[in-house]
Amino acid sequence: MAKDQNNQSHQEQDLNQLLKVRREKLAALQEAGADPFRITKYEVTHHSRDIKDHFDELEGKEVSVAGRLMAKRVMGKASFCNVQDLPGNIQCYVARDSVGDEPYADFKKFDVGDIVGVKGEVFRTQKGEMSIHVAQITLLSKSLQILPEKYHGLVNTDIRYRQRYTDLIMNEEVKETFVKRSKIISAIRRYLDGQGFMEVETPMLVSNAGGAAARPFETHFNALDEDVKLRISLELYLKRLIVGGMERVYEIGRVFRNEGLDTRHNPEFTLMELYQAYTDYYGMMDLTENMFRYVAQEVCGTTTVPYGEEMIDLGSPFARMTMTEAVKRYTGIDFDRVADTAAAKKLADEKEVHYEERHGKGDILNLFFEEFVEEHLVQPTFIMDHPIEISPLTKRKPDKPDYVERFELFITGREMCNAYSELNDPIDQRERFKAQEAALAAGDEEANTTDEDFLNALEIGMPPTGGIGYGIDRLVMLLTNAPAIRDVLLFPTLKSL
């Protein structure tokens, strides 16, 4: 134990000495009038990937690149270094005869982690590596910290999330994930814009946080001396726009739910909701299939994508099952033949499915689905026709009034989106809100409360409408083969140190 403590103490002393040396180098530069932090810009003509992709065209020509110094090998009068920029990295050959005696002496004092600008001629080394023969190298920013050791990288998961900037430098696949995330969102926008949808923005601070089953975060607005909430959904404001005649609208934005942290959940996440007048939930299914295929093809170059040990087929028609059919398939229980809530609770007791006293037959059907079905839905599957008890904003099925025109898409056992034929009957909607208020009073902290202005909008008149909400982070997880939501959030929520 004492030996380990002594080793740790020596390592800390060594690190402190290295950090001290870096600061001394900076002080010397500043005293010599060469403070790198005074440089305001550097002209970049190419990135590393441009040079490698177009080497035949660029060989023998001058280029200018900038990035982080990731490796340096000094060999007397000539040296090699590696510069990393956004799309990749490139080797640079720095010779004293090419850059000059004093600049070469300065270069030898550069540290791994420094940010440099490099100007020189594109060539291929004797070993065949595409490189830059440097004519000029400029220190653009001095790194005063030590990067993690090259070959082991940054592997501590907690530090990776807390210091995402270091994670992006050290782990190429992490950077690729977030580049792909940006491309996914851009592809979604292109698809919807091509379908005639209009992107809009709605409030984040609201007096009534409705549209989903979740607990909101609350805060106080000093200027108005009012308590307000962070939105949990985009739904109710977007539907107001449908009432106003904006027939196809969507929003991509952050929502906030005061809930736990796990591999699928973060309290703030990116949601996309869209609403289309004069269609229903079948229209939303068609749109969803087409959009998922389009985005996968655009971003991944294929509609068959790997996730864990599975290959997910987004190119074939997505399976469709009602929730009742799905529960019957995996449990043998047909809830259409379950007489009432008492009979449903008896079945739950037999199957050891936990429920609350306030739960009705439809709630228990949903609990059976969550317990016995979800994990089996690996390939894309629409689960349709949910019980009315868990769908307060959805149109009833005309032939089965205890159920509604709603679906959820499941892939890899996870819900990817949630869609309705939207309830546009203001009288029915008021009764649904009353039922939600009763559930809230009975202890359901995630129940909605009555939104009078939204009811007023419905009384003005909303056309038949299809609506859907997509968890963008889960779609990114799917298309980047990421096991946890934190892996696709640049700055996930973490407990303060």
Side-chain angles (χ1 to χ4, degrees):
M1 186 70 167
K3 185 177 180 180
D4 290 342
Q5 289 177 341
N6 286 334
N7 287 338
Q8 183 177 352
S9 176
H10 287 309
Q11 288 173 359
E12 289 176 355
Q13 290 175 9
D14 291 343
L15 177 61
N16 289 336
Q17 182 60 32
L18 290 171
L19 294 175
K20 181 182 177 184
V21 168
R22 291 197 176 206
R23 281 163 172 74
E24 288 172 349
K25 289 181 179 179
L26 174 63
L29 287 167
Q30 291 170 330
E31 190 163 336
D35 186 350
F37 298 125
R38 288 183 174 273
I39 296 175
T40 58
K41 66 178 183 177
Y42 187 83
E43 184 181 357
V44 175
T45 63
H46 296 79
H47 282 90
S48 58
R49 187 173 296 164
D50 300 331
I51 295 169
K52 292 179 179 180
D53 288 349
H54 305 285
F55 179 81
D56 290 342
E57 301 168 31
L58 293 172
E59 186 175 14
K61 295 182 180 178
E62 186 179 83
V63 296
S64 178
V65 302
R68 191 174 298 274
L69 194 64
M70 296 301 292
K72 189 176 74 162
R73 184 159 51 99
V74 177
M75 301 179 300
K77 298 180 181 180
S79 302
F80 286 95
C81 65
N82 186 282
V83 175
Q84 177 177 293
D85 56 16
L86 174 63
N89 61 77
I90 191 160
Q91 177 176 273
C92 300
Y93 174 68
V94 187
R96 186 181 66 182
D97 292 345
S98 298
V99 299
D101 291 345
E102 189 173 336
Y104 187 69
D106 292 339
F107 163 75
K108 290 199 293 185
K109 297 176 184 176
F110 291 178
D111 291 303
V112 169
D114 289 349
I115 296 174
V116 298
V118 172
K119 185 179 292 185
E121 188 177 286
V122 175
F123 81 114
R124 194 186 293 273
T125 65
Q126 290 182 346
K127 293 184 178 181
E129 184 166 353
M130 290 177 275
S131 307
I132 298 173
H133 191 136
V134 178
Q136 183 183 75
I137 186 165
T138 306
L139 181 64
L140 302 176
S141 182
K142 183 69 185 168
S143 175
L144 301 179
Q145 281 287 352
I146 311 295
L147 290 177
E149 198 267 331
K150 176 182 176 183
Y151 294 103
H152 296 96
L154 183 63
V155 295
N156 182 293
T157 302
D158 188 66
I159 294 177
R160 285 182 51 223
Y161 295 146
R162 292 184 187 278
Q163 297 184 16
R164 184 66 88 183
Y165 42 88
T166 309
D167 191 24
L168 291 166
I169 294 168
M170 300 307 301
N171 295 317
E172 183 69 24
E173 70 278 5
V174 172
K175 183 165 63 176
E176 290 174 0
T177 291
F178 290 104
V179 170
K180 188 175 280 189
R181 181 188 174 105
S182 177
K183 291 179 179 178
I184 288 167
I185 293 173
S186 294
I188 289 170
R189 285 192 165 104
R190 284 196 302 276
Y191 178 79
L192 292 178
D193 293 347
Q195 297 296 310
F197 282 84
M198 179 188 305
E199 185 172 8
V200 296
E201 296 172 310
T202 61
M204 289 191 180
L205 288 173
V206 296
S207 58
N208 188 335
R215 285 184 297 173
F217 289 94
E218 299 183 11
T219 187
H220 187 76
F221 188 2
N222 292 333
L224 297 180
D225 192 23
E226 288 183 353
D227 290 334
V228 292
K229 301 175 177 67
L230 288 170
R231 66 186 182 187
I232 61 173
S233 169
L234 314 174
E235 180 167 349
L236 300 185
Y237 280 97
L238 291 176
K239 285 183 180 177
R240 286 169 167 89
L241 299 181
I242 295 292
V243 170
M246 301 175 76
E247 295 180 358
R248 297 188 182 202
V249 294
Y250 75 96
E251 180 174 7
I252 301 174
R254 298 294 255 189
V255 296
F256 309 86
R257 298 183 182 179
N258 200 348
E259 56 190 20
L261 296 163
D262 60 31
T263 57
R264 304 185 189 188
H265 297 92
N266 194 73
E268 59 173 307
F269 61 97
T270 302
L271 181 65
M272 182 180 80
E273 293 195 28
L274 63 86
Y275 293 85
Q276 179 179 342
Y278 311 113
T279 191
D280 61 4
Y281 73 145
Y282 287 107
M284 294 295 98
M285 286 187 214
D286 293 340
L287 183 147
T288 298
E289 283 198 47
N290 292 333
M291 187 181 77
F292 271 52
R293 290 188 192 112
Y294 175 86
V295 173
Q297 187 66 50
E298 284 280 297
V299 176
C300 303
T302 178
T303 56
T304 303
V305 297
Y307 192 82
E309 297 179 355
E310 303 286 345
M311 293 300 296
I312 305 302
D313 181 7
L314 300 173
S316 300
F318 294 5
R320 301 185 181 193
M321 282 190 288
T322 68
M323 183 178 284
T324 303
E325 289 169 345
V327 169
K328 183 178 179 181
R329 173 177 296 187
Y330 291 101
T331 69
I333 297 171
D334 184 353
F335 267 77
D336 282 341
R337 295 180 179 275
V338 176
D340 51 27
T341 295
K345 288 183 175 179
K346 183 179 178 182
L347 285 168
D349 292 336
E350 293 172 0
K351 292 287 188 179
E352 298 182 345
V353 174
H354 175 72
Y355 59 88
E356 297 179 27
E357 187 57 35
R358 61 184 174 80
H359 282 155
K361 173 185 167 183
D363 296 296
I364 293 171
L365 168 62
N366 186 56
L367 291 172
F368 268 70
F369 173 78
E370 293 175 349
E371 181 72 23
F372 299 113
V373 180
E374 281 190 11
E375 64 181 328
H376 298 289
L377 305 178
V378 176
Q379 295 299 328
T381 305
F382 290 120
I383 296 297
M384 307 159 52
D385 301 352
H386 294 49
I388 195 169
E389 291 93 330
I390 62 169
S391 311
L393 299 165
T394 316
K395 273 193 173 182
R396 298 173 190 262
K397 289 184 69 65
D399 56 337
K400 294 182 73 174
D402 290 340
Y403 295 88
V404 296
E405 294 190 351
R406 173 184 174 186
F407 73 79
E408 293 171 293
L409 172 62
F410 285 85
I411 306 176
T412 68
R414 295 170 177 166
E415 177 203 334
M416 304 297 290
C417 65
N418 184 24
Y420 312 152
S421 294
E422 302 296 334
L423 180 60
N424 62 342
D425 178 344
I427 298 170
D428 190 356
Q429 183 63 80
R430 183 174 291 279
E431 293 302 312
R432 305 277 193 96
F433 276 141
K434 284 182 181 178
Q436 286 286 295
E437 296 274 9
L440 184 66
D444 183 356
E445 295 180 337
E446 297 184 346
N448 285 202
T449 55
T450 303
D451 187 328
E452 290 292 346
D453 182 72
F454 177 65
L455 288 171
N456 183 66
L458 291 187
E459 289 179 356
I460 295 292
M462 186 173 88
T465 297
I468 191 165
Y470 299 90
I472 295 298
D473 306 304
R474 291 188 183 179
L475 176 56
V476 176
M477 288 171 65
L478 174 67
L479 297 183
T480 61
N481 199 3
I485 192 170
R486 289 182 177 185
D487 295 322
V488 299
L489 298 175
L490 279 167
F491 301 102
T493 302
L494 300 167
K495 186 175 177 63
S496 299
L497 293 173

